[in-house]
Amino acid sequence: MQNGAQASEHTIETLTITDGQAVATVTSRTSAGQLAWQEPCEIDPADLTGDPIASAAASLMKGGGYLEGGVIEADQTPLEVRKLTSLKRVDQLREIKVTGGCPTEHGIVQTDDVSIRNILGSVQTASLSAKLETPFSIEWRMADNSVVTLDANEMIAMGVAVMSHIKTCYTRSWALKDAVEACQDEVSLAALVLTLD
């Protein structure tokens, strides 16, 4: 591959056709499923006959093509495709839940990436202050814009609540993913309620 990466599987994520030009976004993964490379590849519009994705794949694998010498694996079944879509939806729901705020004894605290970093940093400072028996006090702006003053123990308790919140979100998402994978047909998958509440 152009970046020296080693990959065994290539997937056309998107195919965009505009103004007579066609571009396929190709994601390449290792045999372990790890992302190796992603790149937009131009497709000759004249090659796009019949099914667009299949035609684009054939174009990429022809002589001189980006994936020359490759072979097309059997298409996934509708159930497999729906499972993948459901698994991605679970990931989205988990991120929404993780970053959507966490209840604490002082109210809801923000849990976006920046807020979590700030909380963890303040918890470390509070823990050190408690260990050294030095005064600690911090004003914290909550999700509703109210400001609370926390001592070391209260700051640590907030950190514990946030980490417990994140762990719960991941645990529920893993259970839901297991339920998706366990579905044996589209009927059972359709009946599965995708929620982390």
Side-chain angles (χ1 to χ4, degrees):
M1 300 182 63
Q2 293 183 11
N3 69 338
Q6 298 296 314
S8 61
E9 178 181 302
H10 311 277
T11 305
I12 296 176
E13 300 289 345
T14 60
L15 177 63
T16 306
I17 305 170
T18 54
D19 299 327
Q21 292 185 321
V23 177
T25 301
V26 177
T27 297
S28 302
R29 298 186 181 279
T30 66
S31 57
Q34 295 177 325
L35 179 65
W37 185 251
Q38 188 174 68
E39 183 173 19
C41 301
E42 291 188 17
I43 303 291
D44 184 350
D47 289 342
L48 299 180
T49 58
D51 179 83
I53 297 295
S55 298
S59 179
L60 289 169
M61 293 185 301
K62 70 181 183 181
Y66 180 70
L67 300 174
E68 180 180 358
V71 294
I72 297 177
E73 292 185 358
D75 289 340
Q76 294 172 313
T77 67
L79 177 60
E80 290 171 331
V81 171
R82 290 199 60 188
K83 280 187 176 183
L84 287 175
T85 301
S86 296
L87 293 172
K88 287 180 181 178
R89 178 60 181 154
V90 173
D91 286 338
Q92 292 171 341
L93 290 171
R94 184 194 64 231
E95 289 309 302
I96 290 170
K97 196 76 172 174
V98 165
T99 60
C102 168
T104 72
E105 62 182 37
H106 297 283
I108 303 295
V109 66
Q110 292 173 305
T111 53
D112 56 89
D113 289 344
V114 172
S115 296
I116 290 174
R117 285 199 301 269
N118 289 339
I119 289 168
L120 294 178
S122 297
V123 166
Q124 286 183 331
T125 304
S127 298
L128 183 59
S129 294
K131 183 176 181 179
L132 298 176
E133 298 182 351
T134 57
F136 177 91
S137 179
I138 189 169
E139 290 190 344
W140 201 272
R141 188 172 294 274
M142 307 299 286
D144 64 359
N145 268 337
S146 63
V147 177
V148 296
T149 302
L150 306 174
D151 62 22
N153 289 334
E154 290 170 325
M155 186 69 244
I156 293 169
M158 179 180 285
V160 170
V162 168
M163 296 313 295
S164 177
H165 162 75
I166 294 171
K167 180 181 178 183
T168 297
C169 291
Y170 272 87
T171 300
R172 289 178 179 172
S173 73
W174 294 332
L176 191 52
K177 283 185 170 186
D178 287 345
V180 168
E181 293 286 13
C183 290
Q184 298 297 311
D185 52 52
E186 293 190 59
V187 174
S188 59
L189 183 58
L192 189 63
V193 178
L194 298 183
T195 180
L196 299 184
D197 293 327

